[in-house]
Amino acid sequence: MALFEQGYCFVAGLDEAGRGCLAGPVVAAAVLLPLHEPPGDILERFAGVNDSKQLTAPMRARLYDTIMREAVAVGVGIGSVTLIDERNILQATKWAMCTALQELSPQPQALLLDALLLSNITLPQRSIIKGDARCLSIAAASIVAKVTRDRLMRQLHDAYPAYGFAQHKGYGSAAHLAALQKYGVTPHHRRSFKPVREMLFGLFSDAAEKDS
C-alpha cells in the first residue's frame, strides 16, 4: 500500500517453492492484488492468506482458488532440474521468478520479494525478510507456488511411486533418502545437491573434484 500511495498501481509479490528439495523443479509465482480497493476490503477478500508453510494442504487449496479468482493477475515460472544443475538453485529460482513476471498482464510497476532481489530487472524492488509472513502479495505468491509445485510432485509420484513424492514433495526426508538408497537416482533428482551427488559419485566427491 505504501508503494501504491507513491503512484505504483501494479505491485507484484513474488515467492518460490521447492528451493531446498532434492528432486523436482523450483516453482515461482508472481501475484498482483487489487490495490485500488480500500485496505480493509482487500484483507477481507484475501482473509486467511499467509505464509504457505503455516497453512494445511486443504487451506492452501482453498486459498489458491481465491487468489486465482480474485487477484488482478497471477504468473507462474518453473525452473527445471536441468536448469538447477546447470546454473545452481539460486539462479534457477531467479529465472523462474522472471518467467512468472512475464506472464503478468498488466505488467507490474514495482516488486516485493521474499529475501531476494532480481538484478536483471530494472523495476523498483523491495526485498523483505520473512516477506511471506509480512506481506499479503508475497504470501499469495507463496501459496500459488506451493500448490502448483505440490501438484507437479503428485504427478511425479504417479510415475515413480516407490519414492513417495506425493508425501515429501522431493524434500530430503528419511523416507526419501531411504528410497534413494534402495532404488537409485531418477532423472528428476538434482544431481548438484549433495545427497544425490554423493550417491552418484561417492562420499568424497567434493574432494575428488578439487584434486582432479
Side-chain angles (χ1 to χ4, degrees):
M1 294 307 299
L3 286 167
F4 181 68
E5 290 169 0
Q6 295 174 37
Y8 297 100
C9 296
F10 301 111
V11 180
L14 292 100
D15 203 5
E16 52 75 28
R19 193 167 163 183
C21 294
L22 302 181
V26 61
V27 176
V31 175
L32 289 174
L33 297 183
L35 300 183
H36 60 280
E37 298 182 9
D41 292 350
I42 298 173
L43 291 173
E44 182 177 354
R45 186 186 296 193
F46 295 94
V49 171
N50 195 1
D51 172 9
S52 63
K53 297 184 290 296
Q54 305 301 318
L55 304 171
T56 64
M59 292 169 67
R60 286 195 297 266
R62 176 179 61 81
L63 291 167
Y64 172 90
D65 290 340
T66 298
I67 295 162
M68 298 301 290
R69 182 178 65 251
E70 301 289 347
V72 173
V74 176
V76 173
I78 299 174
S80 68
V81 169
T82 299
L83 186 68
I84 292 168
D85 286 339
E86 287 179 351
R87 299 192 186 181
N88 75 44
I89 184 60
L90 177 60
Q91 296 308 315
T93 298
K94 291 183 176 182
W95 184 92
M97 287 183 168
C98 292
T99 301
L101 286 173
Q102 292 171 6
E103 292 192 355
L104 293 178
S105 181
Q107 281 287 292
Q109 299 166 326
L111 309 179
L112 298 169
L113 303 97
D114 185 16
L116 278 178
L117 288 173
L118 301 176
S119 58
N120 60 331
I121 299 292
T122 58
L123 296 173
Q125 302 176 47
R126 183 175 178 187
S127 175
I128 304 173
I129 303 300
K130 297 185 179 178
D132 47 9
R134 298 173 56 197
C135 175
L136 188 64
S137 59
I138 296 177
S142 79
I143 291 170
V144 172
K146 173 66 172 168
V147 171
T148 301
R149 188 177 188 281
D150 284 357
R151 291 176 178 176
L152 292 173
M153 295 309 292
R154 283 194 289 272
Q155 293 175 12
L156 196 57
H157 177 86
D158 293 339
Y160 298 89
Y163 291 83
F165 290 128
Q167 287 73 45
H168 53 67
K169 307 301 189 298
Y171 284 93
S173 67
H176 188 186
L177 294 174
L180 270 172
Q181 289 286 347
K182 184 174 182 180
Y183 301 109
V185 177
T186 74
H188 302 280
H189 280 94
R190 302 174 183 179
R191 283 158 168 73
S192 56
F193 277 47
K194 187 175 181 180
V196 180
R197 188 176 70 243
E198 288 181 348
M199 188 161 296
L200 287 170
F201 304 112
L203 182 62
F204 301 105
S205 57
D206 285 342
E209 288 171 3
K210 291 176 182 177
D211 291 340
S212 60

